[in-house]
Amino acid sequence: MIRIVFVLAIVFLLCNCTSYSPELTEALVLSGENRKELLHVLEHYEHDEDTLKYKAACFLIENMRWHKSYKKIEYVDPKISKLYEKFDYLYTKILGGFDEIEALDGNQLLRERLYNYTQVLHDLMKITPLDTNVVVSHGVFEDVNEINASFLISHIDNAFKVWRESKYAKHLNFDAFCEYILPYRSFWGTTYYYSGAWLNKQFGKQIWRGNTPDFLGHLKRCNHYANRMLFFSYPFKLKERIGIYDLFLGTKNDCALLADNFCNIFRSCGFPVTVDYTIAYKAYTSRHFYCNFLDSTGGWWCFNPGSNKLSKTSPVGHSPLNLYRNTFAAQKNSPYFLKAKMEEIPGELASPCIKDVTAEQYEVVELTFPFTNETKNNLAYLCTFSGNFESGIIAVTWGTIDRKNKQVTFKYALYNTLYIPMYMKNGSLCPFGQPFYILKDSLGKSGYRLCYLCDETNVKDRGDLLLTRKFPLKSYLMEEMKHMIGGHFEGANHEDFSDAKVLFTITETPKPYWQEYVLNNCREYLYYRYVAPESYPLANIAELEFLVRGDTTHPYTSSATPLPVFKEEDISSLQNDHWVQVMEKDISSMRNKVYFDKNIMTTSWRRLNPICLAKPFLVERIRMIPRNADNGIRPGDRYLLLYWDNEWKEFGVQKAKYNFLKFENVPQNKIYWLQNIDRGSEDLPFIYEDGRQKFIYDSVIVDNNVQIR
């Protein structure tokens, strides 16, 4: 508290002694020993003929205090930059004479030249391994304490140069320029290293190569350059992420790193670009970052870095929740500024530089919700399920509390979304209402109605739950299973299958679990295989077993996978299973094939290679499971059942013996969550009605925009 008062006193004194704004003065005070660097920038532009450069410097310094990094690059081995320079020179030389944008993908000579050079580089790198050093410090590094004058001056000068010269930036007014061209970072928390001037020098010659007619063409050039440079460096990998070089040196790139780098690259070359993101999905535990390009008409075009596709529609997919735009300037209507003095904010919404742009992509509703809890907070939140967090929930949008009228208003709520109204209490999210979702209601006064998911009138009821899945069946996988109709199994004694006989044809859509086919076979064959239908020539098989009788004399066999059991009365059927899987002579080699590897998550996309037995043998049955997300109950795995009662409460753990779980004496009329403790990451809440599971975004909340993929 004393430190805050001290800082405010200094700000007050400096504001009265200088022409600096309070925001600029506060940033200078917070910069500490780095203050002289920032003052040098201001002095450098104070008397510049272009008065906007001084205003731009003020904009950056004023808003620096809101930005930070969580690691600092102390040292990068010069061999890394020299390696990049060699690759860059080679790429530029190879593309000489191929300046037309169509040549990047369509010219056979260019493809062959790139391939040949790449193979030579791979061979060289294998025999001359690189041992490059990168020194990184981890912690919290405030921009106001880190950025020096030379970095900032070169960056500002480049930003003004491209603003005036780029046909994609000339239309921007000063405010838009400050947000979409000028910033040296695309969002907070990332590690910046190179100024816009350096990025422009390295990438500009590639992005602006030839006569490129539109932004999509420039995006293709950037993607082609980054992808080819990455191929050049394979299999070399950096152990630490260091920013722009991550694009080239084999480091695993996630969507946040790609969006950050691409945004900074395009801005440095005169393209107004932002990074937007979603922190949660309706049905999936994940997040996604992507880029947006602002055209001369004020329209936004979305794209995923690495993809040559521009769209007015967000490329997030999988039905995201609220979308946020990263800004450099502080957003006064963000939770950071709307909160009460001592109020805490959920970490996912704590940035002072985020702007809710959900309404650009989806229909939103302004929801007014009763709030009668005693609190000094200014904010409440709509939260939803997230398996990413220990609490199992995530705040996805905020609302302002009106204490006088005892209500809270959320401006950016979404229809058909599981919500739990919550507010921060003692550092944690605390519910102040029951889970619900919003439906349109054209007859209602507000235009919507709330549907609650828990029946509070029967909270004391208990009963049994018979569970067979932790996540609903995926629609696209079910669609692919339909395409297997017409596929068939063959036997032959010639390796080329010239004497092949069809033993079984699939006439019904396969089930998403193990199933058995009885073959029409009375002959012994040396080779057996599956042939996909011509209309859909993909195998789509996760696991495949050719079965013979258990009393076989065949020397190479393995136990067959039991058929699934989904209820107690079918357990006895397992005792009558007298079949074994016939194997090739080289069993270990056979297990290396994805459809014999005992792993449901590996799938053969192409036509299956035949199985070759040690000698001709009579195969009478086939067991198969199609391409599958493996979200059913797996015998041998442990499962945790939780239920929602103002928080996720653990009910119990069971180790599955069969393909179902039976939990007894469970609180009824709740939302449930089943986790596989041993494997997998996909799970989704469900309710239990009429003796079966009903997953939230599959059988409860019906939304045409939601697709379980």
Side-chain angles (χ1 to χ4, degrees), residues 220-407:
K220 288 181 178 180
R221 290 198 182 280
C222 189
N223 284 331
H224 190 269
Y225 177 63
N227 288 335
R228 289 301 147 187
M229 293 284 281
L230 180 63
F231 290 150
F232 284 167
S233 69
Y234 181 85
F236 176 73
K237 294 183 179 181
L238 289 173
K239 295 180 180 179
E240 280 278 3
R241 289 184 172 180
I242 58 173
I244 198 67
Y245 286 131
D246 296 340
L247 291 177
F248 310 115
L249 298 180
T251 304
K252 183 179 180 180
N253 293 320
D254 62 18
C255 60
L257 184 145
L258 286 171
D260 176 38
N261 281 323
F262 269 68
C263 181
N264 291 333
I265 289 168
F266 277 115
R267 285 177 175 175
S268 75
C269 296
F271 299 87
V273 173
T274 66
V275 173
D276 291 7
Y277 69 102
T278 182
I279 54 177
Y281 292 87
K282 290 185 177 182
Y284 285 86
T285 300
S286 188
R287 61 173 191 168
H288 187 64
F289 291 76
Y290 60 98
C291 292
N292 257 320
F293 165 70
L294 181 64
D295 67 21
S296 59
T297 68
W300 288 100
W301 293 87
C302 312
F303 65 95
N304 283 321
S307 168
N308 293 328
K309 181 180 179 182
L310 282 177
S311 175
K312 289 286 188 178
T313 304
S314 163
V316 173
H318 299 323
S319 294
L321 294 173
N322 291 63
L323 302 174
Y324 292 99
R325 179 159 298 147
N326 291 281
T327 64
F328 192 81
Q331 301 298 307
K332 299 301 181 181
N333 62 346
S334 67
Y336 186 94
F337 295 99
L338 295 175
K339 70 180 182 67
K341 188 174 182 180
M342 302 301 292
E343 183 178 352
E344 296 182 76
I345 308 171
E348 55 272 16
L349 297 175
S351 169
C353 301
I354 56 171
K355 178 182 179 182
D356 193 309
V357 292
T358 311
E360 292 183 6
Q361 297 289 335
Y362 302 100
E363 186 176 3
V364 298
V365 57
E366 184 171 306
L367 170 66
T368 299
F369 203 86
F371 186 88
T372 58
N373 297 59
E374 291 295 327
T375 182
K376 294 181 180 180
N377 291 356
N378 291 340
L379 299 172
Y381 303 91
L382 292 180
C383 302
T384 194
F385 168 77
S386 176
N388 259 352
F389 293 79
E390 185 177 350
S391 63
I393 51 175
I394 183 174
V396 292
T397 189
W398 66 86
T400 52
I401 297 172
D402 179 353
R403 294 188 188 85
K404 180 180 178 181
N405 294 306
K406 296 185 177 181
Q407 61 186 26

Side-chain angles (χ1 to χ4, degrees), residues 5-135:
V5 173
F6 179 70
V7 171
L8 292 175
I10 294 177
V11 171
F12 176 78
L13 291 172
L14 288 176
C15 285
N16 283 279
C17 298
T18 68
S19 59
Y20 298 153
S21 67
E23 293 81 9
L24 182 58
T25 302
E26 185 176 346
L28 291 172
V29 171
L30 293 171
S31 64
E33 295 181 0
N34 197 49
R35 183 167 178 259
K36 62 181 180 180
E37 295 287 331
L38 302 184
L39 285 173
H40 179 64
V41 175
L42 295 173
E43 292 165 359
H44 178 82
Y45 290 116
E46 191 171 11
H47 302 293
D48 196 289
E49 292 181 1
D50 191 342
T51 57
L52 288 180
K53 286 189 176 181
Y54 180 78
K55 291 183 179 180
C58 291
F59 171 84
L60 289 178
I61 295 173
E62 285 174 0
N63 287 287
M64 266 182 203
R65 56 192 168 137
W66 309 119
H67 296 277
K68 65 187 73 174
S69 300
Y70 294 104
K71 66 180 182 180
K72 180 180 178 181
I73 302 168
E74 305 283 1
Y75 172 79
V76 176
D77 194 322
K79 290 197 295 290
I80 292 178
S81 61
K82 290 180 180 179
L83 181 65
Y84 163 75
E85 289 171 4
K86 290 179 180 178
F87 288 170
D88 176 71
Y89 171 79
L90 181 61
Y91 177 88
T92 304
K93 183 178 180 180
I94 293 173
L95 257 69
F98 296 99
D99 284 340
E100 294 300 321
I101 192 70
E102 293 80 7
L104 295 180
D105 298 317
N107 189 282
Q108 181 65 25
L109 179 60
L110 176 59
R111 287 202 301 267
E112 291 178 358
R113 187 182 294 181
L114 283 165
Y115 175 80
N116 291 333
Y117 274 90
T118 301
Q119 293 303 115
V120 172
L121 284 172
H122 288 182
D123 293 339
L124 287 174
M125 294 187 74
K126 287 178 182 178
I127 62 176
T128 56
L130 295 172
D131 183 20
T132 55
N133 297 315
V134 176
V135 180

Side-chain angles (χ1 to χ4, degrees), residues 459-592:
V459 293
K460 294 183 180 180
D461 288 358
R462 287 180 173 265
D464 299 343
L465 270 60
L466 184 69
L467 310 180
T468 57
R469 299 190 64 83
K470 64 184 182 72
F471 194 86
L473 294 171
K474 299 184 178 184
S475 58
Y476 81 104
L477 289 177
M478 296 299 294
E479 193 63 30
E480 288 184 358
M481 292 174 200
K482 293 179 182 178
H483 291 304
M484 295 181 71
I485 295 177
H488 62 269
F489 297 92
E490 294 179 343
N493 284 310
H494 294 159
E495 188 175 4
D496 62 359
F497 276 76
S498 57
D499 62 337
K501 180 183 178 182
V502 175
L503 306 177
F504 183 86
T505 299
I506 297 175
T507 57
E508 297 181 354
T509 301
K511 304 295 189 295
Y513 44 78
W514 280 99
Q515 55 229 277
E516 184 174 275
Y517 298 131
V518 178
L519 304 185
N520 178 25
N521 188 24
C522 58
R523 288 186 58 189
E524 296 178 338
Y525 292 102
L526 183 62
Y527 300 97
Y528 291 90
R529 73 177 181 183
Y530 170 73
V531 179
E534 292 185 4
S535 59
Y536 190 78
L538 298 176
N540 203 43
I541 290 179
E543 289 291 302
L544 178 62
E545 297 179 356
F546 295 91
L547 305 186
V548 297
R549 295 183 182 276
D551 57 359
T552 180
T553 59
H554 193 282
Y556 307 108
T557 61
S558 179
S559 58
T561 299
L563 291 172
V565 174
F566 296 116
K567 50 185 184 296
E568 291 175 305
E569 49 266 39
D570 291 340
I571 293 175
S572 60
S573 63
L574 293 177
Q575 300 172 359
N576 301 319
D577 192 357
H578 303 301
W579 298 90
V580 295
Q581 179 184 5
V582 65
M583 306 291 287
E584 294 180 338
K585 182 176 181 180
D586 188 346
I587 295 179
S588 61
S589 175
M590 183 177 175
R591 288 294 186 206
N592 287 330

Side-chain angles (χ1 to χ4, degrees), residues 455-463 665-670:
D455 184 0
E456 291 300 299
T457 60
N458 297 315
V459 293
K460 294 183 180 180
D461 288 358
R462 287 180 173 265
N665 201 31
V666 182
Q668 299 291 284
N669 307 304
K670 300 290 185 181

